[in-house]
Amino acid sequence: MTRSEPVCSFQNDDSKPIATSSKPVSDNAPTKWFGHDVRRHIGETQEAPIFDKELRVVMESHLVKARIRREECGDPSYVSVEPAIASYVGVPYIALRDERSFLYDENTHPLHRVLAETLGVDDLSQLHHHAVNDKLQLLGPLLDQDGRRRFHECYDNFVTSLCIPLLHSLAMSKNEFHSIPSLSSSRITYRYQAFPCLRVVRPGEFSIGPHCDTAYGHSICNLNFHVPLTPVYGTNALYIESHPGKEDWHALTVKSPGLGFLFDGARCIHFTLENTTDATRVSLDFRIALYADGDNAETLCKKELLDDRFTRLGAGYYDEASIDLGAESFSIPGVAIAKKEKNRLLDPDARVGFPFNKRKPKN
């Protein structure tokens, strides 16, 4: 018996719809779509799959490509490190790379509510019931600078007032700054994604197969933040491994907004499945790297490693904020964290992904 190989004709965003027919292939032959192959094996269940031997066989053709790309891109600067990407040699701030969850106050940082208001909807998890089915049109308000300003400000405040202090506190507790010679006069710069990658995966869609971020040109210095804005469970969750090469796949789940995750997405393979739940997943993904200024520039993350495809293609993808390590400065409220340019919100470009990669160029 044969069936059709999937062909995706969606609008080239990060999510793909249930495939349509093209040419016959055997039932068990792998296709180019990871989500489709896993769905074909696990069936209609909404629950998180059990990654047993049979499912791992289904996944293997996709995983082997991800492993190869990870090895190829593990050292984009060609500095001297061991070949194995899971090696700690040459990898910056290892102590910060363990998977962690963190809580945040959804009233102080109402990302889900402001995004819903920006899009003109009541419930982000029910976007698939919206009268507008075209996703580009649905997310259209984000393409307007004034229309997205509240959400952009909310996100920027979330990063600079919560995520960066969280990383800084963690780095301090792990003695990441102890090797900086002139500690009292040093400044740590946090390079963060100026606008997040917005993931909207409706029932019947799937987002992306197994990969690590260095394979897409991201710096190995980056640390990944994953912030769901809707309940996330079962097949609509993001799946990651806890350490490069461990492949202990597990879902990052939340019951409601207010919980986020920090993980080593630069090196750890992660993926999503076809969403067979009855809820749309809306989540934010963004990256933060940290480095020391001036004479201490090589202490945390080497310049060669910090440089990536997203910096080489021009400004706009990253913004920066800094913290003075001087104890006196750090103790003064409102002075500890300083953006490179106060109140600046960089215009999202195509590198952020959908819907900005579909924006019409300015005349």
Side-chain angles (χ1 to χ4, degrees), residues 49-215:
I50 298 173
F51 293 95
D52 55 18
K53 182 178 179 180
E54 288 74 19
L55 179 52
R56 287 174 182 269
V57 169
V58 172
M59 297 167 60
E60 184 60 22
S61 65
H62 300 276
L63 287 172
V64 69
K65 296 175 184 177
R67 295 187 202 109
I68 291 172
R69 288 294 292 150
R70 177 168 62 183
E71 294 293 336
E72 291 175 344
C73 302
D75 180 25
S77 68
Y78 304 105
V79 296
S80 178
V81 298
E82 292 186 0
I85 187 65
S87 170
Y88 288 142
V89 178
V91 180
Y93 29 87
I94 285 296
L96 307 184
R97 294 183 173 275
D98 291 338
E99 176 190 335
R100 293 176 172 84
S101 60
F102 62 92
L103 296 170
Y104 66 91
D105 185 348
E106 61 180 288
N107 293 312
T108 303
H109 303 286
L111 292 160
H112 66 295
R113 185 167 66 247
V114 174
L115 180 60
E117 292 171 356
T118 298
L119 300 181
V121 300
D122 295 325
D123 186 350
L124 293 174
S125 70
Q126 298 301 306
L127 276 176
H128 53 289
H129 292 311
H130 196 276
V132 176
N133 185 59
D134 182 88
K135 193 178 288 187
L136 183 59
Q137 184 178 351
L138 186 62
L139 301 183
L142 292 172
L143 298 178
D144 177 72
Q145 187 177 51
D146 292 331
R148 68 170 175 270
R149 177 170 292 278
R150 280 188 63 229
F151 173 71
H152 200 169
E153 289 175 341
C154 188
Y155 163 75
D156 196 76
N157 180 61
F158 177 70
V159 173
T160 56
S161 68
L162 188 140
C163 298
I164 290 177
L166 173 70
L167 264 184
H168 192 78
S169 176
L170 181 61
M172 293 284 282
S173 69
K174 299 294 184 180
N175 294 318
E176 285 292 334
F177 306 139
H178 76 280
S179 60
I180 298 178
S182 50
L183 187 63
S184 63
S185 60
S186 294
R187 176 167 293 186
I188 304 300
T189 297
Y190 289 82
R191 185 187 72 178
Y192 65 96
Q193 210 167 304
F195 196 89
C197 297
L198 177 63
R199 315 298 188 190
V200 178
V201 185
R202 298 174 293 194
E205 296 176 347
F206 54 96
S207 179
I208 191 167
H211 71 286
C212 64
D213 284 5
T214 52

Side-chain angles (χ1 to χ4, degrees), residues 209-213 224 238-240 249 263 265 268-272:
H211 71 286
C212 64
D213 284 5
N224 286 49
L238 175 68
Y239 286 79
I240 72 172
W249 314 118
F263 71 101
C268 288
I269 291 176
H270 47 289
F271 57 81
T272 60

Side-chain angles (χ1 to χ4, degrees), residues 209-346:
H211 71 286
C212 64
D213 284 5
T214 52
Y216 286 86
H218 287 284
S219 168
I220 200 170
C221 298
N222 285 346
L223 299 171
N224 286 49
F225 283 78
H226 176 66
V227 183
L229 303 185
T230 57
V232 173
Y233 58 95
T235 58
N236 77 1
L238 175 68
Y239 286 79
I240 72 172
E241 58 180 347
S242 61
H243 180 78
K246 195 168 185 179
E247 299 193 357
D248 54 340
W249 314 118
H250 56 283
L252 303 182
T253 62
V254 304
K255 294 182 178 179
S256 62
L259 180 66
F261 301 91
L262 168 64
F263 71 101
D264 187 4
R267 302 188 307 147
C268 288
I269 291 176
H270 47 289
F271 57 81
T272 60
L273 304 174
E274 185 176 310
N275 183 4
T276 57
T277 74
D278 56 2
T280 294
R281 171 171 65 87
V282 179
S283 58
L284 306 181
D285 291 304
F286 55 93
R287 302 155 184 91
I288 302 179
L290 56 152
Y291 64 93
D293 287 342
D295 296 336
N296 303 309
E298 299 291 296
T299 305
L300 289 175
C301 184
K302 293 180 181 295
K303 183 178 179 180
E304 296 90 344
L305 289 175
L306 194 65
D307 187 36
D308 65 11
R309 172 173 170 262
F310 295 85
T311 55
R312 290 191 294 269
L313 291 179
Y317 191 81
Y318 294 118
D319 204 344
E320 292 185 343
S322 60
I323 295 180
D324 193 328
L325 286 181
E328 182 178 353
S329 175
F330 187 71
S331 67
I332 302 174
V335 177
I337 301 174
K339 285 194 64 172
K340 191 172 183 179
E341 292 187 28
K342 189 177 180 180
N343 299 324
R344 177 180 70 175
L345 294 176
L346 296 177

